[in-house]
Amino acid sequence: MEWITHVYDCTGNLIFIDQIIVDANKKPIELYLDQYLHIVEAVSAPTLIFELNKKCPTRYYYCAAKHLTKPVLIGANIKNGTWKVKEYMEDPSASLLLTLLKQHLLDGGITIYMENGIEDKSLGNLFI
């Protein structure tokens, strides 16, 4: 089977996938086919996307589809105008998600993409 090297996310961004990325502990891992397929699904049909808008914007795609054995969190960052998957985490803890969100909610540097719209950086208005 030929592996997919890129996928479009639900906001129309082209996201590239390397075979070697990092796990939750920032250790390099070589992806198995199942992990690759999880990434493709999480990026193309996520439950939630949140984008951290700091020096190097990073998007996190969270997918908890019923047919997945564990939820996954995929981190992608943009460099030279190209989005690229950099992290793969299976079954991320609630504290990890809250830590990522809390760090950026306080300074307004976050955008949350939901199924039917985009929440603004201050989480005050929903745009559909």
Side-chain angles (χ1 to χ4, degrees), residues 43-94:
V43 170
S44 62
T47 305
L48 172 73
I49 302 172
F50 54 97
E51 183 175 319
L52 309 179
N53 304 310
K54 286 305 212 175
K55 296 174 191 171
C56 179
T58 302
R59 278 192 174 184
Y60 286 95
Y61 299 84
Y62 178 78
C63 187
K66 291 181 181 179
H67 64 278
L68 293 176
T69 55
K70 299 177 186 175
V72 293
L73 182 67
I74 309 302
N77 64 2
I78 191 166
K79 187 173 183 180
N80 298 327
T82 303
W83 286 98
K84 191 172 181 182
V85 171
K86 67 173 191 161
E87 296 176 89
Y88 175 86
M89 294 169 257
E90 287 184 350
D91 203 14
S93 67

Coordinates of all heavy atoms in Angstrom, one line a residue, residues 43-94:
V43 N -6.7 14.7 10.7 CA -6.6 16.0 10.0 C -7.7 16.3 9.1 O -8.2 17.4 9.0 CB -5.2 16.0 9.3 CG1 -5.1 17.2 8.4 CG2 -4.0 16.0 10.3
S44 N -8.2 15.3 8.4 CA -9.3 15.5 7.4 C -10.7 15.6 8.1 O -11.5 16.3 7.5 CB -9.3 14.4 6.4 OG -9.5 13.2 6.9
A45 N -10.9 15.0 9.2 CA -12.2 15.0 9.9 C -12.0 15.1 11.4 O -12.4 14.1 12.1 CB -13.0 13.8 9.5
P46 N -11.5 16.2 11.9 CA -11.2 16.2 13.4 C -12.5 16.5 14.2 O -13.5 17.1 13.7 CB -10.2 17.4 13.5 CG -10.6 18.3 12.4 CD -11.1 17.4 11.2
T47 N -12.4 16.1 15.4 CA -13.5 16.5 16.4 C -13.3 18.0 16.8 O -14.3 18.7 16.9 CB -13.4 15.6 17.7 OG1 -13.4 14.3 17.3 CG2 -14.5 15.9 18.6
L48 N -12.0 18.4 16.9 CA -11.7 19.8 17.3 C -10.4 20.2 16.7 O -9.5 19.3 16.7 CB -11.7 19.8 18.8 CG -11.2 21.1 19.5 CD1 -12.2 22.2 19.4 CD2 -10.9 20.8 21.0
I49 N -10.2 21.4 16.3 CA -8.9 22.0 15.9 C -8.7 23.2 16.8 O -9.6 24.0 16.9 CB -8.9 22.4 14.5 CG1 -9.2 21.3 13.5 CG2 -7.5 23.0 14.1 CD1 -9.3 21.8 12.1
F50 N -7.5 23.3 17.4 CA -7.2 24.6 18.0 C -5.8 25.0 17.5 O -4.9 24.2 17.4 CB -7.3 24.6 19.5 CG -6.6 23.5 20.2 CD1 -5.3 23.8 20.8 CD2 -7.1 22.3 20.4 CE1 -4.6 22.8 21.4 CE2 -6.4 21.3 21.1 CZ -5.2 21.5 21.6
E51 N -5.7 26.3 17.2 CA -4.5 26.8 16.6 C -3.9 27.8 17.6 O -4.5 28.7 18.1 CB -4.8 27.6 15.3 CG -3.6 28.1 14.6 CD -3.9 28.7 13.3 OE1 -4.8 28.2 12.5 OE2 -3.3 29.8 13.0
L52 N -2.6 27.5 18.0 CA -1.9 28.4 18.9 C -1.1 29.4 18.0 O -0.3 29.0 17.2 CB -0.9 27.6 19.7 CG -1.6 26.4 20.4 CD1 -0.6 25.6 21.2 CD2 -2.8 26.8 21.3
N53 N -1.4 30.7 18.2 CA -0.9 31.7 17.3 C 0.3 32.4 18.0 O 0.1 33.6 18.3 CB -2.0 32.7 17.0 CG -3.2 32.0 16.4 OD1 -3.1 31.2 15.4 ND2 -4.4 32.2 16.9
K54 N 1.3 31.8 18.1 CA 2.5 32.4 18.6 C 3.6 32.6 17.5 O 3.2 32.7 16.4 CB 3.1 31.6 19.8 CG 2.3 31.6 21.0 CD 2.2 33.1 21.4 CE 2.1 33.3 22.9 NZ 2.1 34.6 23.3
K55 N 4.9 32.7 17.9 CA 5.9 32.9 16.9 C 5.8 32.0 15.7 O 5.9 32.3 14.6 CB 7.3 32.7 17.5 CG 7.6 33.7 18.6 CD 8.9 33.3 19.3 CE 9.0 34.1 20.6 NZ 10.1 33.7 21.4
C56 N 5.6 30.7 16.0 CA 5.4 29.7 14.9 C 4.0 29.1 15.1 O 3.8 28.2 16.0 CB 6.5 28.6 15.0 SG 6.3 27.3 13.8
P57 N 3.0 29.5 14.4 CA 1.6 28.9 14.6 C 1.6 27.4 14.5 O 2.3 26.8 13.7 CB 0.8 29.5 13.4 CG 1.6 30.8 13.0 CD 3.0 30.4 13.3
T58 N 0.9 26.8 15.5 CA 0.8 25.4 15.5 C -0.7 25.0 15.6 O -1.4 25.6 16.4 CB 1.5 24.8 16.8 OG1 2.9 25.2 16.7 CG2 1.4 23.3 16.9
R59 N -1.1 24.1 14.8 CA -2.5 23.6 14.9 C -2.5 22.2 15.5 O -1.6 21.3 15.2 CB -3.1 23.4 13.5 CG -3.6 24.7 13.0 CD -4.5 24.5 11.8 NE -5.1 25.7 11.4 CZ -5.9 25.9 10.4 NH1 -6.3 24.8 9.7 NH2 -6.4 27.1 10.2
Y60 N -3.4 22.0 16.4 CA -3.6 20.6 17.0 C -5.0 20.1 16.6 O -6.0 20.8 16.7 CB -3.5 20.7 18.5 CG -2.1 20.9 19.0 CD1 -1.6 22.2 19.3 CD2 -1.3 19.8 19.2 CE1 -0.3 22.3 19.7 CE2 0.0 20.0 19.6 CZ 0.5 21.2 19.9 OH 1.8 21.4 20.3
Y61 N -4.9 18.9 16.0 CA -6.1 18.2 15.5 C -6.4 17.1 16.5 O -5.6 16.2 16.7 CB -5.9 17.6 14.1 CG -5.6 18.7 13.1 CD1 -4.3 19.1 12.9 CD2 -6.6 19.2 12.2 CE1 -4.0 20.1 11.9 CE2 -6.3 20.1 11.3 CZ -5.0 20.6 11.1 OH -4.7 21.5 10.2
Y62 N -7.6 17.2 17.1 CA -8.0 16.2 18.1 C -9.1 15.4 17.4 O -10.1 15.9 16.9 CB -8.5 16.8 19.4 CG -9.0 15.8 20.4 CD1 -8.1 15.1 21.1 CD2 -10.4 15.6 20.6 CE1 -8.5 14.2 22.1 CE2 -10.8 14.7 21.5 CZ -9.9 14.0 22.3 OH -10.3 13.0 23.2
C63 N -9.0 14.0 17.5 CA -10.0 13.2 16.9 C -10.3 12.0 17.8 O -9.4 11.4 18.3 CB -9.5 12.6 15.5 SG -10.8 11.7 14.6
A64 N -11.6 11.9 18.1 CA -12.1 10.9 19.0 C -13.2 10.1 18.4 O -14.2 9.8 19.0 CB -12.5 11.5 20.3
A65 N -13.0 9.6 17.1 CA -14.0 8.9 16.4 C -14.2 7.6 17.1 O -13.3 7.0 17.7 CB -13.5 8.7 15.0
K66 N -15.5 7.1 17.0 CA -15.9 5.9 17.7 C -15.1 4.6 17.2 O -14.8 3.8 18.0 CB -17.4 5.6 17.5 CG -18.2 6.6 18.2 CD -19.7 6.3 18.0 CE -20.5 7.3 18.7 NZ -21.9 7.1 18.5
H67 N -14.7 4.6 16.0 CA -14.0 3.4 15.5 C -12.5 3.4 15.8 O -11.8 2.4 15.6 CB -14.2 3.2 14.0 CG -13.6 4.3 13.2 ND1 -14.3 5.5 13.0 CD2 -12.5 4.4 12.5 CE1 -13.5 6.3 12.2 NE2 -12.4 5.7 11.9
L68 N -12.0 4.5 16.3 CA -10.6 4.5 16.7 C -10.5 3.9 18.1 O -11.3 4.1 19.0 CB -10.0 6.0 16.8 CG -9.9 6.7 15.5 CD1 -9.4 8.2 15.8 CD2 -8.9 6.1 14.6
T69 N -9.4 3.1 18.3 CA -9.3 2.5 19.7 C -9.0 3.5 20.7 O -9.4 3.3 21.9 CB -8.2 1.4 19.6 OG1 -7.0 2.0 19.2 CG2 -8.6 0.2 18.7
K70 N -8.3 4.6 20.4 CA -7.9 5.6 21.3 C -8.0 7.0 20.6 O -7.8 7.0 19.4 CB -6.5 5.5 21.8 CG -6.2 4.2 22.5 CD -4.7 4.2 22.8 CE -4.3 2.8 23.5 NZ -2.9 2.7 23.7
P71 N -8.4 8.0 21.3 CA -8.3 9.3 20.6 C -6.9 9.7 20.3 O -6.0 9.2 20.9 CB -8.9 10.3 21.7 CG -9.3 9.5 22.9 CD -8.8 8.1 22.7
V72 N -6.7 10.6 19.3 CA -5.4 11.0 18.9 C -5.4 12.5 18.8 O -6.4 13.2 18.6 CB -5.0 10.4 17.5 CG1 -4.8 8.9 17.6 CG2 -5.9 10.8 16.4
L73 N -4.2 13.1 19.1 CA -3.9 14.5 19.0 C -2.7 14.6 18.0 O -1.7 14.1 18.3 CB -3.6 15.1 20.4 CG -3.3 16.6 20.4 CD1 -4.6 17.4 20.0 CD2 -2.8 17.0 21.8
I74 N -2.9 15.4 17.0 CA -1.9 15.6 15.9 C -1.5 17.1 16.0 O -2.4 17.9 15.8 CB -2.5 15.2 14.6 CG1 -3.1 13.8 14.5 CG2 -1.4 15.4 13.5 CD1 -2.2 12.7 15.0
G75 N -0.2 17.3 16.1 CA 0.3 18.7 16.0 C 0.9 19.0 14.7 O 1.7 18.2 14.2
A76 N 0.6 20.1 14.1 CA 1.2 20.5 12.8 C 1.6 22.0 12.9 O 0.9 22.7 13.5 CB 0.2 20.3 11.7
N77 N 2.8 22.3 12.4 CA 3.2 23.7 12.4 C 3.5 24.1 11.0 O 3.6 23.4 10.0 CB 4.3 24.0 13.3 CG 5.6 23.3 12.9 OD1 5.7 22.6 11.9 ND2 6.7 23.4 13.7
I78 N 3.5 25.5 10.8 CA 3.7 26.0 9.5 C 5.1 26.6 9.4 O 5.6 27.2 10.4 CB 2.7 27.1 9.2 CG1 2.7 27.5 7.7 CG2 2.8 28.3 10.1 CD1 1.5 28.3 7.3
K79 N 5.8 26.3 8.3 CA 7.1 26.8 8.1 C 7.2 27.1 6.6 O 6.9 26.3 5.8 CB 8.2 25.8 8.5 CG 9.6 26.3 8.5 CD 10.6 25.3 9.0 CE 12.0 25.9 9.0 NZ 12.9 24.9 9.6
N80 N 7.6 28.4 6.3 CA 7.7 28.8 4.9 C 6.4 28.6 4.1 O 6.5 28.2 3.0 CB 8.9 28.1 4.2 CG 10.2 28.5 4.9 OD1 10.4 29.6 5.4 ND2 11.2 27.5 4.8
G81 N 5.3 28.8 4.8 CA 4.0 28.7 4.1 C 3.5 27.3 4.0 O 2.5 27.1 3.3
T82 N 4.2 26.3 4.6 CA 3.8 24.9 4.4 C 3.4 24.3 5.8 O 4.3 24.4 6.7 CB 4.9 24.1 3.8 OG1 5.2 24.7 2.5 CG2 4.5 22.6 3.5
W83 N 2.2 23.7 5.9 CA 1.9 23.0 7.1 C 2.4 21.6 7.1 O 2.4 20.9 6.1 CB 0.3 22.9 7.3 CG -0.3 24.2 7.7 CD1 -0.9 25.1 6.8 CD2 -0.4 24.8 9.0 NE1 -1.4 26.2 7.5 CE2 -1.1 26.0 8.8 CE3 0.0 24.4 10.2 CZ2 -1.4 26.8 9.9 CZ3 -0.3 25.2 11.3 CH2 -1.0 26.4 11.2
K84 N 3.0 21.2 8.2 CA 3.6 19.9 8.3 C 3.3 19.2 9.7 O 3.5 19.9 10.7 CB 5.1 20.0 8.1 CG 5.8 18.7 7.9 CD 7.3 19.1 7.5 CE 8.1 17.8 7.2 NZ 9.4 18.1 6.9
V85 N 2.9 18.0 9.7 CA 2.7 17.3 10.9 C 4.0 17.1 11.7 O 5.0 16.7 11.1 CB 2.1 15.9 10.7 CG1 2.0 15.0 11.9 CG2 0.7 16.0 10.1
K86 N 4.0 17.4 12.9 CA 5.2 17.3 13.7 C 5.1 16.4 14.9 O 6.0 15.9 15.5 CB 5.7 18.7 14.2 CG 4.8 19.4 15.2 CD 5.4 20.7 15.7 CE 4.6 21.2 16.9 NZ 5.2 22.1 17.7
E87 N 3.8 16.2 15.4 CA 3.6 15.4 16.6 C 2.4 14.5 16.4 O 1.5 14.8 15.8 CB 3.2 16.3 17.8 CG 4.3 17.3 18.3 CD 3.8 18.2 19.4 OE1 3.9 17.8 20.5 OE2 3.3 19.3 19.0
Y88 N 2.6 13.3 17.1 CA 1.5 12.3 17.1 C 1.4 11.8 18.5 O 2.3 11.3 19.1 CB 1.9 11.1 16.2 CG 0.9 10.0 16.2 CD1 -0.2 10.0 15.4 CD2 1.1 8.9 17.1 CE1 -1.1 9.0 15.4 CE2 0.2 7.9 17.1 CZ -0.9 7.9 16.3 OH -1.8 6.9 16.3
M89 N 0.2 11.9 19.1 CA -0.1 11.5 20.5 C -1.3 10.6 20.5 O -2.4 11.1 20.1 CB -0.2 12.7 21.4 CG 1.1 13.5 21.6 SD 0.8 15.0 22.4 CE 0.8 16.1 21.0
E90 N -1.2 9.4 21.0 CA -2.4 8.6 21.2 C -2.9 8.8 22.6 O -2.1 8.9 23.6 CB -2.0 7.1 21.0 CG -1.8 6.7 19.6 CD -1.6 5.3 19.4 OE1 -1.4 4.5 20.4 OE2 -1.6 4.8 18.3
D91 N -4.2 8.9 22.8 CA -4.9 9.0 24.1 C -4.3 10.1 24.9 O -3.9 9.9 26.0 CB -4.8 7.6 24.8 CG -5.9 7.5 25.8 OD1 -6.9 8.3 25.8 OD2 -5.8 6.6 26.7
P92 N -4.3 11.3 24.4 CA -3.7 12.4 25.2 C -4.6 12.7 26.4 O -5.8 12.6 26.4 CB -3.8 13.6 24.2 CG -4.9 13.3 23.3 CD -4.9 11.8 23.2
S93 N -3.9 13.0 27.5 CA -4.6 13.2 28.8 C -5.3 14.6 28.7 O -5.0 15.5 28.0 CB -3.6 13.2 30.0 OG -2.8 14.3 29.9
A94 N -6.4 14.7 29.6 CA -7.1 15.9 29.7 C -6.2 17.0 30.2 O -6.3 18.2 29.7 CB -8.3 15.8 30.6

